[in-house]
Amino acid sequence: MGAARTGTGRRRAVPWAVVGLWLAALVLAGPLAGKFGDAQQNRAVDYLPDSADSTQVARIQDALPGGESTDLVLVYHRDGGLTADDRRTAARQVAEVADVHPLTAEPRGVPSADGATLMYPVSSTGPGQDEEARDAFVDAVREIAEGGAGLSVDVGGPGALNADMGKVFETIDGTLLLATLGVVTVLLILIYRSPFLWLVPLAVAGAAAAVSMAAAYGLHELFDVTITGQSGGVMTVLVLGAGTDYALLLISRHREELRRHERPYDAMRAALRGCGPAILASSGTVAAGLLCLLAADLNSSSGMGPVGVVGVLAALVAMTTLLPAVLVLLGRRVFWPLIPAFGSVPRARRSLFAAMGTSAARRPAAVLAGGAVLLGALALGAFNLPGSLKQEDSFTEKPESIAALETLARDYPGRSSQPLTVMAPTGRADAVLREARGTDGVADAVAGRSGAGWTEISVFATAAPQTPAETRTIETLRDLLDGTGAHVGGTSAQQLDLADSEARDRAVIVPLVLTAVFLILVALLRSLVAPLLLLAAVVAVWGAALGIGGLVFEPLLGFEGTDPGLGLLSFVFLVALGVDYGIFLMHRMREECVNGAEPEAAALTALRTTGGVIASAGVVLAATFAVLTTLPLVPLVELGFVIAVGVLLDTFLVRTYLVTTASVLLRRRVWWPGRLSKAPAPLPAPAERRPEPV
């Protein structure tokens, strides 16, 4: 009797203790989670490695008197030509800016050849490195620079562009979190068909998101991990998307076990034993893939690795501790109106995935060949992807800084409106200035402020910013100045260094991810063929998803370029996340084979039993990444689109048809060289009984 009371007490105490620990963790994490947005760094130079030439320029500028300057361009324009009053208005407003703010030099107006545009470059070191002060300076200048009656005034330049970018990132965290929660809510209501059950995983996912933000902020403070608006947004999606996937698997198994166990506590223990290893392997695969990003040269990519891992681990811990505790405390009534009664048998329903598996098994070779051809054809669309994305094309809605840049590019075709910055040792500044002025593709070069042993030189190229011609000018300038101790930076040089670093990272990280995931799959499935099959499937999905992006980005959405990091990041996420669903399918297939089922029957049984839950999980994960496409930044739209499309392809085509049919065709060879690859030895025939002598 005492033992029974002890068991009952434990069943009540353990869930309450878990909930209590989580409440305490949330109280501690709350203040840190609130600082997560402040830790984000979104300047282009923050994404680059310290070794990049443009990064060196930014570091040297920080050491100059007043720190890095905030450079703006006031652009006055009137169709048909500026009037005398327009020029006086421009001069008066620029003088007011100079009176209110300390500038590095007296602004001088530069008229366009047709007289329709007048630009005033303005630079100030007053804001220093404080981003809030820089944004306040840009806003103050914009309040002064006003047009009217046909006169347009736009404030552009690198400082204005960074300010506009910062304003976008300020709104991303809240917008993304609310939008993702809304999408997950709708999907959970449709999946569970319960007025209450959807609240449980959603609340747990929210707790995991808060803890992950606090932990990521801690990584930034303790280890100087770079957090960008991109990595912060991806972490939020991972927590809610992956966390909801784990919840779907656990709740589905818990519902089954409630029919076999009278007490919810016992049912949950059985559910955790049943699907816990698969959830753990799934999260481990994603974490391993993300950790490979630590080898990236780009600060933004290397920082996304640990930030993403924090999100996945927070989701894993929440869904395997807090979610089970809450479900046990709420009992069976949380499933109302479809309450699973103890000893009941679920109503038999025709399984869509059973029908799909049966149809695929009739002609597996034809289905496999057809699917492979389809994926290959879709992958060809990747050749239609636009070139590298320019910084001014990074917005889906044109801000003021981009309008100014477009006006300057149109009306000053022989002079770049976005100067390159050369930092030269003061003792060699005159020689560097002469070399720069004589460089092919350079319209002019002007020496600026000096200090800390360096002189800043502004170099104006003849080509428009971030064009192939300007890229050649940057490369020529760097070659000519090699050995002088000078560094070439500025916005265009930063974008060039960004693309070069991305290319290096792809060559290093793609093999690392494939190796790490392959080793995990070998350990889990105890086979070499099955892991290769799953990896080939997810790589094919990645290629097809990029190909669909090539058919959509420029022709339908009008995007002028592709983010240089799209290939690498989409590869990491699609391989890691896509293998998850393969793990669930192949692990169940292996269980069936261990229990004596023939390979074809094992494959169809695995598809029938896992298809519905994994399809729901795939839809949720794809929908959460699709939320990124609603944000006003092209790189995030492209990343969200490719991953969402890839997850759907994997869920409804590759895993359902191609992996299943390949397993049917390979039969026991899919488990080579493990013991399941060998046919079981035939049972010995019963010995013939001889008649006993009478």
Side-chain angles (χ1 to χ4, degrees):
M1 189 72 174
R5 289 178 178 174
T6 301
T8 301
R10 183 172 62 251
R11 294 187 187 99
R12 294 176 179 175
V14 171
W16 282 114
V18 171
V19 172
L21 288 173
W22 266 94
L23 289 176
L26 289 174
V27 170
L28 295 174
L32 297 178
K35 298 179 181 180
F36 178 72
D38 298 333
Q40 296 180 8
Q41 301 164 272
N42 293 307
R43 296 184 305 163
V45 71
D46 295 324
Y47 283 57
L48 291 167
D50 291 335
S51 59
D53 213 30
S54 54
T55 307
Q56 296 299 316
V57 169
R59 299 287 182 264
I60 296 170
Q61 285 179 317
D62 290 343
L64 291 178
E68 184 180 356
S69 62
T70 302
D71 301 322
L72 306 178
V73 181
L74 280 66
V75 182
Y76 295 84
H77 175 79
R78 180 186 292 275
D79 292 337
L82 295 169
T83 65
D85 286 342
D86 293 337
R87 295 186 181 90
R88 284 192 291 269
T89 297
R92 184 181 71 253
Q93 292 180 354
V94 172
E96 185 178 350
V97 171
D99 289 340
V100 177
H101 303 281
L103 303 181
T104 57
E106 181 181 353
R108 293 185 301 170
V110 181
S112 64
D114 61 0
T117 304
L118 179 64
M119 73 169 177
Y120 277 91
V122 171
S123 180
S124 175
T125 58
Q129 300 181 52
D130 188 336
E131 288 192 18
E132 291 186 4
R134 289 177 179 177
D135 293 346
F137 171 61
V138 174
D139 291 339
V141 172
R142 283 175 170 168
E143 288 181 5
I144 295 172
E146 294 182 351
L151 175 66
S152 66
V153 185
D154 294 314
V155 178
L161 187 62
N162 287 332
D164 290 338
M165 187 78 73
K167 289 177 182 177
V168 170
F169 279 114
E170 284 176 3
T171 63
I172 279 182
D173 289 337
T175 302
L176 187 62
L177 181 61
L178 292 176
T180 307
L181 287 174
V183 168
V184 172
T185 297
V186 172
L187 291 174
L188 288 178
I189 291 174
L190 293 175
I191 291 169
Y192 289 133
R193 291 172 293 169
S194 167
F196 307 113
L197 182 57
W198 63 272
L199 284 168
V200 179
L202 198 64
V204 174
V211 170
S212 66
M213 289 180 183
Y217 176 76
L219 287 177
H220 172 74
E221 291 295 304
L222 295 175
F223 304 105
D224 199 28
V225 172
T226 299
I227 300 177
T228 65
Q230 185 183 56
S231 62
V234 168
M235 186 190 75
T236 299
V237 169
L238 273 177
V239 173
L240 297 178
T244 304
D245 279 4
Y246 303 154
L248 286 168
L249 293 169
L250 182 63
I251 291 174
S252 175
R253 189 62 176 262
H254 182 52
R255 189 199 297 266
E256 292 180 18
E257 298 298 337
L258 282 171
R259 302 182 187 277
R260 304 187 184 103
H261 299 272
E262 185 176 1
R263 301 178 186 274
Y265 182 89
D266 297 331
M268 181 54 71
R269 288 185 60 184
L272 285 172
R273 283 197 302 267
C275 66
I279 293 176
L280 184 62
S282 169
S283 59
T285 303
V286 178
L290 289 172
L291 284 177
C292 291
L293 287 172
L294 286 172
D297 201 25
L298 282 178
N299 287 333
S300 56
S301 296
S302 63
M304 184 177 288
V307 169
V309 169
V310 162
V312 171
L313 294 182
L316 171 68
V317 174
M319 295 306 170
T320 54
T321 58
L322 181 57
L323 178 63
V326 174
L327 289 174
V328 169
L329 292 174
L330 293 176
R332 300 174 187 274
R333 59 184 177 274
V334 74
F335 290 95
W336 186 88
L338 304 175
I339 298 176
F342 172 57
S344 64
V345 177
R347 186 178 61 182
R349 291 186 296 178
R350 178 177 173 81
S351 170
L352 171 63
F353 286 93
M356 295 171 72
T358 302
S359 65
R362 292 193 186 114
R363 302 183 63 187
V367 171
L368 183 61
V373 169
L374 175 61
L375 290 177
L378 291 174
L380 293 176
F383 291 104
N384 196 48
L385 285 169
S388 293
L389 186 70
K390 299 179 183 178
Q391 195 170 19
E392 63 264 28
D393 296 327
S394 298
F395 301 87
T396 58
E397 299 176 2
K398 186 189 302 180
E400 183 177 339
S401 58
I402 301 303
L405 190 63
E406 290 178 349
T407 300
L408 292 173
R410 182 186 67 242
D411 292 349
Y412 297 83
R415 176 189 175 101
S416 175
S417 59
Q418 195 166 272
L420 306 172
T421 302
V422 176
M423 300 303 302
T426 300
R428 299 183 178 180
D430 292 339
V432 170
L433 182 61
R434 288 194 300 271
E435 194 74 54
R437 285 174 174 168
T439 301
D440 187 32
V442 171
D444 193 13
V446 181
R449 58 194 176 124
S450 302
W454 296 91
T455 297
E456 184 178 79
I457 300 174
S458 296
V459 178
F460 294 88
T462 57
Q466 297 175 43
T467 58
E470 191 201 38
T471 297
R472 288 193 295 272
T473 300
I474 295 172
E475 293 172 343
T476 301
L477 196 58
R478 284 177 169 173
D479 290 339
L480 291 174
L481 298 180
D482 186 29
T484 65
H487 302 283
V488 180
T491 302
S492 295
Q494 289 170 2
Q495 294 300 112
L496 176 60
D497 291 339
L498 189 68
D500 290 343
S501 296
E502 289 282 6
R504 176 264 175 197
D505 288 347
R506 281 195 300 272
V508 172
I509 293 175
V510 166
L512 279 179
V513 171
L514 291 174
T515 301
V517 173
F518 177 73
L519 292 176
I520 292 175
L521 290 175
V522 169
L524 179 68
L525 301 176
R526 303 172 194 175
S527 165
L528 293 178
V529 176
L532 289 174
L533 172 61
L534 292 180
L535 283 180
V538 293
V539 170
V541 165
W542 171 68
L546 277 181
I548 294 175
L551 300 176
V552 170
F553 291 157
E554 188 173 21
L556 297 183
L557 301 181
F559 294 163
E560 298 294 331
T562 304
D563 181 56
L566 176 64
L568 175 62
L569 294 180
S570 61
F571 178 85
V572 171
F573 284 109
L574 281 178
V575 168
L577 296 171
V579 164
D580 279 2
Y581 300 141
I583 286 175
F584 300 141
L585 178 69
M586 298 296 287
H587 190 264
R588 182 58 183 264
M589 195 184 303
R590 190 178 191 282
E591 286 183 5
E592 295 296 325
C593 289
V594 169
N595 292 332
E598 289 298 316
E600 180 176 341
L604 298 180
T605 300
L607 180 61
R608 183 180 66 252
T609 55
T610 65
V613 175
I614 298 178
S616 300
V619 169
V620 169
L621 189 63
T624 53
F625 271 99
V627 172
L628 291 174
T629 64
T630 66
L631 299 178
L633 288 175
V634 171
L636 290 178
V637 172
E638 292 177 341
L639 182 64
F641 179 88
V642 170
I643 295 178
V645 168
V647 169
L648 292 176
L649 280 175
D650 181 77
T651 301
F652 293 103
L653 172 62
V654 174
R655 181 181 54 79
T656 303
Y657 282 110
L658 304 192
V659 172
T660 300
T661 54
S663 301
V664 170
L665 289 171
L666 289 171
R667 299 183 66 79
R668 293 190 179 277
R669 290 186 294 274
V670 76
W671 305 115
W672 185 88
R675 63 181 181 85
L676 291 179
S677 63
K678 302 175 180 63
L683 295 175
E688 182 179 351
R689 294 185 60 184
R690 296 181 180 179
E692 297 180 1
V694 179

